[in-house]
Amino acid sequence: MCGITACIGADNSVDSLVDGLQRLEYRGYDSAGIAVKNGSGISLTKRVGEVSELVAAVEQNPIAGDYGIGHTRWATHGGVTDGNAHPHTDESGRIAVVHNGIISNFQSLRSDLESRGHVFSSETDTEVIPHLIEENLRDGATPEEAFRAAVGSLSGSYAIAAIIGDEEAIFATRSGSPLVLGVGDGEYYLASDVPAFIQHTARVVYLHDGDFVVTRSDGYEITDSAGRAVDRPVEHVEWDPETATKGGYEHYMYKEIHEQPGALRRTTQGRLNTHAGGVELEEFPPESFADVKQVHLLAMGTSHHAGMYAASLLNSRGIPAYAFMAGEYSVIKPPVTPDTLVIAVSQSGETADTLDAVRRARAAGARTLAVTNVVGSSITRECDDELLIRAGPEIGVAATKTFSSQVTALTLLTERIVEDVTGAKSPAARDLMEALSRLPGDVQEVLDTSMAREIAIEYEGSDAYFFIGRGVAHPVALEGALKFKEISYEHAEGFAASELKHGPLALVTPMSPVFAIFTGHDDEATLSNVKEVQARGAPVVAITSDRSGEVTEFADHVLRIPDTHPDIAGVLANVQLQLVAYHAADLLERPIDKPRNLAKCVTVE
Amino acid sequence: MNDRITEAVVLAAGEGRRLRPLTTFQPKPMLPVANRPVIEYVLDALFESGIEHAVVVVGHRADRIQSHLSATYSDVDIEFVHQDSRLGSGHALLLAEGLVSGPFVVCNGDNVVDADIVSTVLERFSTTDSVATVAVAESDTPEEYGVIVEDNGRIADIDEHAVDSEGYLVNAGVYVFDDAVFEALRHIPPHDGETRLPDVIHYLDGNVTSVLVNGGWLDPSHPWGLLSVTETLLARRHDSAVAESARIHERALVGDHVVVGEDCDVGPGAVISAGSCLQDNVSVGANSVIERSILSTDARVGAGVVLRDSVVGPGATVGDGVVSPGGRADVILEGRLYTDRRLGSIIGDRAEVGANVTLTAGSRVGAEAVVGPGTVLHGDVRERVEVTH
C-alpha cells in the first residue's frame, strides 16, 4: 500500500519525482524516498515521515539526476524506519527498486539469497528484488533480462519500477497493483495513479497485469511476460491537475464535502428522466438485467456502506440482495449462481480485497459489474460491465463525495434492475427520480445552513459518539461513525437503531451523545429508540427533515435536512454527519486529510 | 514599465446587499449572467490579456466561489485569500500584499469586463508616467457609481457620494496599481468601518491616469442590471444555446437569444423568449411563459406561469398559475430609492411561491420564504417567513 513514481526525459527529475510523491501521499505517508541516476551513479535520499520531510532533506543536501524513481510508503513488512523506506538497492548501489504490493514468497527468496551471500539492509519484502536483479546481471543477463527474470521468481501482488546499472531506462511491471504510464513530449512517467504526473501530461496508458514496460527518453515499449510486444491505447485523461489542489480550502476533505452538489450533478447528468419517472443509463438499456435473480454487493469501508444502502433499496423492492465485506467474501463463499449479479463498489477501483472477491465471483460464474470513480482502473477490467460515479478526483483519505455519488449511482442502477426484473417501475420511481433531480440542490441547502460546527463544539470532549438509524439510515449510521472515528480518533460506533437494547445500550451515558437519523420512513420506531437512550441521560442529536413534530420535540438538538424521498434522505443526513466529523476533528486539530495509520486506497489485502 | 504585467487581484468578497435576496446564499460574483457567473467573465478577460496569476479575495459565501473556480479554472494559477470580516474593498486589496508584486491589475469580481478593457488599461498604464490607472466608463445613471472628477485625463477625485453630479464618467472598477498602493491603503480613513479602494488615489504619490472604456463594461449590481446585462450579452449571440441533456418538449417554443442549461426540462406549450436563461436542472411546466427572466439552478416552475423581467433563485419553487407580470417599479435598495425601474419580481433561493400567486412589479420573496396560494404580493417578504393570503 504505497505510491510509486518514475520519470525519464524531464528537465528536473528530482522535482518531478517529489512533486508526484506529494500528489500520491493519499496512498501512504509513513516514509518516502527517491533514487536518481546521474553520471556518477545512483543518488539516494529517503526519510521517515511525510513527503515534506523528504523535500527538506533534498533541499539540505541537493541531489540531481537525469532519471529516477520515487516512493511514498505505507508499511506492511518491516517497521517505519529510514532503512525500510524505499527505494531499495543491492549491495553495489547500482540497482534501485521501488515497489507497491506484497511479495508473498519473499521469506524463501530472502533465505536463498542470504545463503548465497547477499546481505540485506532492510526488513522489507521489496529488497529481494534488487538482489535478484543483481544476481541475474552477474550471470551475464542484460538489464532487461535481469529485471524480467527477477520478476519471474516473485509471487504476490506488485507494481515495480527499477533503474539498473548504466542503462538509461526505467524498467517496470505490474501484477495486482496499479501502475500507469504518462506519455509526455520527450518525457515519460510511471506512477501508481494519474495525479502524480497529470501536471506534465494528460496522455495515459493504463497498464495491465503482466505488462512489462521499458521507458527511455526517446520512447517506451510494452511487452507481455513472454517478451511479445503488446499494444495498449494512449488515453486522454480529463482530470485537471488543479482539481487536485485545495482551491482555497483548508483541507481536501472540506473541499470535497463542498464539491458534492457538483459531483452529484455529474453523477445524475443525462441519467434521469423525470417525465417518464425512470432512469436512462447509457451503459444499461432496458432489459439489461432481465435474468437477474439475486444481487451481491462487494466492497470495503465507506464503499461497503454504499453497498449496504443499495442492498436495502433492492430488498425493499423485492430483489434479494446481500452486501458483503469483500474481504469476507472469499472466506465465507456464499453460493453464486449464473443469475447472480455481483456489483463491486470501489472508489479507486484498485481495492485489493474487492478485486480478489470479484475474481472469486467471476470464477464461480457470476455476472460482474463495477461501480467506481476511476476510469480504466483494475476493477473495470476485472468486471463484465461498469458504471462510473463521475464524482471527480477525491484526495482526502476520508471518503465523502464519493459516498454520495456511489449511493446515487447505485440508486439509479437499482431502479434499472427492479424495472428489468419485475417488468415494472417501482411504485416509488417517479417520486424518487424527482428527489434525485433535486438532490444536488438539497445537498447545497445542507451546506448552506448546517449547524454541524455548533454541534461539534457542544459535544467536544464526550466519552463516545453513537450513531443509529434503520433501513437505509443504518448504513448511514455506520458511515457517520466511521467518518467520525477515522478523522477525530474519538470513539464512535454506529448501530442499527433496533440493535441498541440488545447490548450497546449498556455503553450509553450522559457523556455519550447519540446521533439519530430519521429518513421519514419508520420514524416512530426510531423515536422509541431515542426515548430509550434519553432515559439513560444521553443527549440526542436528531438528523431529520421534521420541522415541528415529535422528533424535533424530543431531540436535544436537530441537524435539519430538506424534506425529500425517504430512500434518498440518507445521503442528506450523511452530509450533515460528514460536517460533524470534520468539525469535531478540526476542533481537535487532527491531520484531517491524512489520518494516522490510514491510506486512501488499500491495494493490499 | 517594459515588463509585461502578469498578475491580478480580483475583489470578490462583497456581499452584494443590493441584490438580496439572491445574495443570501450566493456571493454576488457567482450570480449568473447568460448562465455563467459574473466572475468568469472577469477571469476570462484577465487571462486573455496575459495575466498568469490571479489572487481572488473571497469573503461572503467563499465556498461557492472556491468550489466553482477550482473546478472551472483548473489549468490556470488562481490563489484565494479570505477576507473574514466586512472591512471594505481597500482592506480586501491589502490582503493580497505579498502575493502580487510590481504593477498588477485589480478588478471587481462582480462587474462584467472584457479583454479589451483590461488591455486598454494596461496599455494606458504602460505608456504614461502613472502610479495608477483607472478605467472609466460613461453611464446614464452616474448616481449609482463613484463619479470621476477629471483633470486633463488625470483623475482628481472619485466621488462615491455624488448626488447631483454633472459628470457622467464613472469608475468601472478596473485598475492598474504598483506596489506603492499597499502603503497608501494603510492611510485611508474608514467610512462606516470600511476602507474604500477608490479613496486610495488621494494617498498615492504621483499621477493617477484614467482611460475611457465603453461597451465591454457591464454592471449587474442591481436586480434590473442583472436582467439587462444578461439581455445584452444574449443579444450578442444569434441563436439560442440549449444543452444536449436538456429535454425540450416538441410543442415548447424556445426563442433566439436564450440559453438553456444541462438537464433542464421544458414542458409542452411553454414559451421561453429572448433575454431568458435557464441554468442547470430547471423545469418549466406546460404552457408557462418566461420572458426576459433568469431561472437559476434547480428552479421548479409549474404550469401556466407567467414570469416577466424576473429572477428565480436556485432551488426555488414557483407554483402553477403564478403571475409576475413585470412592468416598472420604484425600488428601495440599501436605504436608497430607485424610481421607475424595469423589474418584475425576485424570488430568493429555495423560496416556495404557491399556486396562483401574483407577484407585482418590484416585489421580492426572501430566501426560503413561503408565499401561500392566491396571495397578491407587493413589496418584500423577508427570508424564512411564511406569508398566506
Side-chain angles (χ1 to χ4, degrees):
Chain A
M1 183 57 230
C2 312
I4 67 179
T5 59
C7 76
I8 189 164
D11 285 345
N12 187 334
S13 63
V14 172
D15 285 358
S16 297
L17 290 170
V18 169
D19 188 49
L21 290 179
Q22 282 175 319
R23 288 166 197 271
L24 289 182
E25 262 194 310
Y26 71 89
R27 301 180 60 84
Y29 35 79
D30 58 35
S31 52
I34 58 171
V36 292
K37 180 70 169 54
N38 51 41
S40 60
I42 291 175
S43 301
L44 187 69
T45 305
K46 44 194 195 178
R47 283 291 179 279
V48 165
E50 297 182 359
V51 178
S52 53
E53 302 289 332
L54 175 68
V55 173
V58 173
E59 275 172 8
Q60 211 169 16
N61 292 305
I63 57 172
D66 304 324
Y67 58 99
I69 55 179
H71 190 272
T72 177
R73 179 167 187 251
W74 189 71
T76 56
H77 289 74
V80 180
T81 63
D82 283 349
N84 285 338
H86 295 221
H88 291 288
T89 57
D90 68 328
E91 294 94 335
S92 70
R94 288 174 39 78
I95 300 162
V97 172
V98 289
H99 160 227
N100 168 31
I102 293 174
I103 310 296
S104 50
N105 61 338
F106 91 98
Q107 282 295 5
S108 64
L109 290 171
R110 180 168 175 148
S111 340
D112 291 351
L113 285 161
E114 280 175 336
S115 70
R116 294 198 291 274
H118 287 271
V119 179
F120 281 71
S121 57
S122 80
E123 299 149 5
T124 64
D125 53 347
T126 304
E127 200 189 335
V128 299
I129 304 169
H131 292 290
L132 286 169
I133 295 172
E134 194 266 340
E135 270 198 356
N136 294 323
L137 279 181
R138 232 179 348 179
D139 291 346
T142 65
E144 183 172 349
E145 288 164 358
F147 181 73
R148 281 179 182 280
V151 171
S153 51
L154 305 176
S155 306
S157 68
Y158 48 80
I160 300 168
I163 50 181
I164 303 172
D166 292 327
E167 179 116 357
E168 283 187 31
I170 291 160
F171 301 90
T173 186
R174 65 161 279 178
S175 179
S177 297
L179 188 67
V180 289
L181 170 67
V183 181
D185 218 7
E187 48 196 74
Y188 299 88
Y189 302 87
L190 285 152
S192 302
D193 199 357
V194 174
F197 54 71
I198 191 73
Q199 69 273 28
H200 301 297
T201 179
R203 295 194 298 146
V204 175
V205 178
Y206 293 96
L207 299 169
H208 291 204
D209 279 353
D211 285 356
F212 281 79
V213 55
V214 182
T215 59
R216 297 187 167 81
S217 54
D218 60 353
Y220 65 90
E221 203 172 70
I222 303 172
T223 51
D224 65 11
S225 54
R228 289 177 297 244
V230 291
D231 192 23
R232 300 277 176 239
V234 180
E235 297 182 35
H236 188 88
V237 181
E238 286 174 26
W239 281 11
D240 298 307
E242 296 302 323
T243 314
T245 68
K246 288 186 206 162
Y249 290 98
E250 197 160 338
H251 298 100
Y252 283 117
M253 182 184 179
Y254 203 54
K255 173 179 183 245
E256 287 156 2
I257 287 172
H258 283 82
E259 282 172 349
Q260 288 179 111
L264 290 169
R265 277 183 212 290
R266 285 195 303 275
T267 303
T268 54
Q269 191 168 90
R271 288 171 168 174
L272 290 175
N273 185 339
T274 44
H275 267 317
V279 296
E280 289 178 359
L281 299 176
E282 210 179 314
E283 303 86 340
F284 304 104
E287 304 298 311
S288 291
F289 301 108
D291 52 0
V292 170
K293 292 280 191 292
Q294 63 166 354
V295 178
H296 289 177
L297 292 122
L298 315 181
M300 295 302 289
T302 293
S303 299
H304 175 54
H305 299 146
M308 289 177 70
Y309 200 116
S312 173
L313 294 180
L314 283 161
N315 281 311
S316 71
R317 289 157 170 75
I319 314 280
Y322 311 90
F324 295 96
M325 276 200 215
E328 295 291 291
Y329 195 71
S330 309
V331 182
I332 56 180
K333 297 186 171 59
V336 170
T337 53
D339 47 22
T340 301
L341 173 67
V342 168
I343 302 175
V345 189
S346 167
Q347 187 281 129
S348 65
E350 303 291 348
T351 314
D353 288 306
T354 308
L355 286 168
D356 188 56
V358 164
R359 289 180 197 123
R360 191 252 150 198
R362 210 171 55 169
R367 175 178 174 190
T368 53
L369 191 166
V371 174
T372 183
N373 195 28
V374 180
V375 183
S377 54
S378 297
I379 208 161
T380 62
R381 288 198 298 276
E382 294 283 350
C383 289
D384 300 318
D385 296 301
E386 66 184 77
L387 182 67
L388 291 171
I389 65 169
R390 306 174 185 164
E394 186 172 74
I395 305 297
V397 166
T400 50
K401 64 175 179 175
T402 53
F403 177 80
S404 297
S405 286
Q406 282 171 341
V407 170
T408 302
L410 284 165
T411 304
L412 296 170
L413 192 59
T414 292
E415 275 310 310
R416 172 85 282 135
I417 294 169
V418 169
E419 204 180 311
D420 289 354
V421 173
T422 65
K425 291 192 175 75
S426 74
R430 179 172 293 275
D431 289 348
L432 187 57
M433 292 308 118
E434 175 61 21
L436 284 169
S437 164
R438 283 179 172 268
L439 185 62
D442 285 346
V443 170
Q444 186 65 60
E445 180 174 344
V446 172
L447 297 175
D448 285 345
T449 60
S450 178
M451 303 293 282
R453 188 166 183 91
E454 287 76 5
I455 297 292
I457 292 168
E458 175 77 20
Y459 294 110
E460 190 182 357
S462 298
D463 292 342
Y465 301 81
F466 298 122
F467 299 78
I468 61 170
R470 49 174 25 83
V472 296
H474 174 215
V476 172
L478 299 181
E479 175 61 13
L482 175 64
K483 220 48 41 186
F484 202 98
K485 73 179 86 163
E486 67 182 337
I487 60 169
S488 76
Y489 311 160
E490 296 292 290
H491 181 226
E493 293 297 329
F495 304 105
S498 58
E499 185 186 356
L500 275 181
K501 53 182 169 294
H502 301 280
L505 203 51
L507 296 169
V508 169
T509 72
M511 285 303 286
S512 60
V514 175
F515 291 81
I517 302 156
F518 294 86
T519 60
H521 192 71
D522 280 341
D523 279 358
E524 301 77 11
T526 305
L527 191 60
S528 313
N529 303 124
V530 160
K531 292 172 185 168
E532 287 160 21
V533 302
Q534 271 183 330
R536 275 76 185 173
V540 170
V541 180
I543 297 93
T544 177
S545 63
D546 174 88
R547 283 182 182 272
S548 52
E550 242 193 322
V551 173
T552 299
E553 190 182 318
F554 277 93
D556 297 271
H557 291 96
V558 171
L559 288 169
R560 193 88 56 200
I561 57 174
D563 196 10
T564 187
H565 194 285
D567 285 345
I568 205 72
V571 175
L572 298 175
N574 187 60
V575 174
Q576 287 283 19
L577 297 180
Q578 290 169 352
L579 289 165
V580 171
Y582 174 85
H583 288 299
D586 191 42
L587 291 170
L588 293 165
E589 297 179 3
R590 302 297 189 216
I592 288 174
D593 286 329
K594 296 175 197 168
R596 69 185 178 204
N597 308 336
L598 297 178
K600 178 72 184 166
C601 88
V602 187
T603 56
V604 292
E605 285 167 34
Chain B
M1 292 315 120
N2 295 325
D3 292 339
R4 203 161 63 81
I5 295 173
T6 59
E7 297 194 298
V9 180
V10 178
L11 306 176
E15 261 192 274
R17 274 169 280 178
R18 285 176 297 190
L19 281 161
R20 281 182 185 168
L22 298 172
T23 50
T24 306
F25 293 108
Q26 294 188 98
K28 188 175 154 198
M30 283 300 293
L31 292 182
V33 171
N35 274 12
R36 300 184 68 202
V38 177
I39 196 169
E40 285 194 14
Y41 295 91
V42 178
L43 290 171
D44 285 357
L46 290 172
F47 293 123
E48 279 173 40
S49 315
I51 299 301
E52 292 165 2
H53 171 220
V55 176
V56 180
V57 186
V58 290
H60 177 63
R61 299 285 167 184
D63 60 296
R64 294 292 188 96
I65 298 181
Q66 290 172 200
S67 291
H68 184 81
L69 295 189
S70 47
T72 311
Y73 288 89
S74 47
D75 51 348
V76 292
D77 185 8
I78 296 179
E79 188 174 4
F80 295 95
V81 188
H82 290 257
Q83 185 182 30
D84 293 325
S85 38
R86 217 171 56 212
L87 296 171
S89 53
H91 174 261
L93 180 56
L94 205 46
L95 292 172
E97 187 175 13
L99 303 175
V100 289
S101 63
F104 52 88
V105 182
V106 176
C107 278
N108 288 337
D110 50 14
N111 285 181
V112 174
V113 293
D114 62 19
D116 283 349
I117 293 182
V118 178
S119 303
T120 306
V121 179
L122 285 170
E123 168 81 15
R124 173 84 174 156
F125 181 83
S126 305
T127 55
T128 54
D129 176 24
S130 311
V131 293
T133 298
V134 182
V136 299
E138 291 164 350
S139 171
D140 52 5
T141 53
E143 70 279 8
E144 293 176 6
Y145 303 99
V147 167
I148 302 289
V149 182
E150 270 202 314
D151 176 13
N152 275 338
R154 287 185 306 178
I155 296 186
D157 192 16
I158 299 179
D159 186 352
E160 291 278 308
H161 293 280
V163 182
D164 296 315
S165 174
E166 293 169 15
Y168 62 98
L169 284 181
V170 300
N171 175 5
V174 181
Y175 316 81
V176 178
F177 292 113
D178 66 19
D179 285 337
V181 73
F182 294 119
E183 188 49 38
L185 285 168
R186 293 183 220 284
H187 295 104
I188 303 179
H191 284 278
D192 303 330
E194 297 189 13
T195 55
R196 297 180 176 137
L197 177 55
D199 293 348
V200 83
I201 64 162
H202 299 294
Y203 301 90
L204 288 169
D205 192 12
N207 286 333
V208 178
T209 50
S210 68
V211 62
L212 184 65
V213 294
N214 273 333
W217 177 70
L218 298 164
D219 178 25
S221 280
H222 309 81
W224 50 88
L226 190 63
L227 290 165
S228 64
V229 170
T230 297
E231 186 180 31
T232 304
L233 289 176
L234 288 176
R236 291 180 187 170
R237 55 183 315 143
H238 299 296
D239 50 0
S240 59
V242 178
E244 209 176 307
S245 58
R247 295 164 204 275
I248 310 291
H249 193 277
E250 56 185 17
R251 287 197 289 113
L253 181 68
V254 175
D256 289 342
H257 314 303
V258 164
V259 283
V260 178
E262 301 286 351
D263 289 313
C264 284
D265 193 335
V266 178
V271 178
I272 318 286
S273 61
S276 295
C277 300
L278 277 60
Q279 280 190 278
D280 293 346
N281 198 32
V282 169
S283 70
V284 176
N287 301 317
S288 288
V289 176
I290 312 296
E291 284 183 20
R292 198 177 176 265
S293 293
I294 297 170
L295 309 186
S296 308
T297 304
D298 299 327
R300 291 286 183 275
V301 174
V305 170
V306 176
L307 294 175
R308 204 167 280 133
D309 300 332
S310 296
V311 185
V312 181
T317 306
V318 179
D320 296 342
V322 168
V323 176
S324 173
R328 302 194 78 87
D330 296 346
V331 183
I332 297 171
L333 303 175
E334 288 296 290
R336 185 156 167 181
L337 175 68
Y338 299 84
T339 53
D340 194 33
R341 306 291 166 154
R342 180 173 173 189
L343 185 64
S345 56
I346 308 289
I347 300 169
D349 295 36
R350 301 187 284 270
E352 292 173 31
V353 179
N356 300 315
V357 168
T358 300
L359 300 164
T360 60
S363 59
R364 286 180 293 184
V365 179
E368 297 179 347
V370 178
V371 180
T375 310
V376 177
L377 192 69
H378 303 271
D380 293 348
V381 175
R382 284 203 285 177
E383 68 181 67
R384 296 200 176 98
V385 302
E386 195 163 338
V387 177
T388 48
H389 179 40

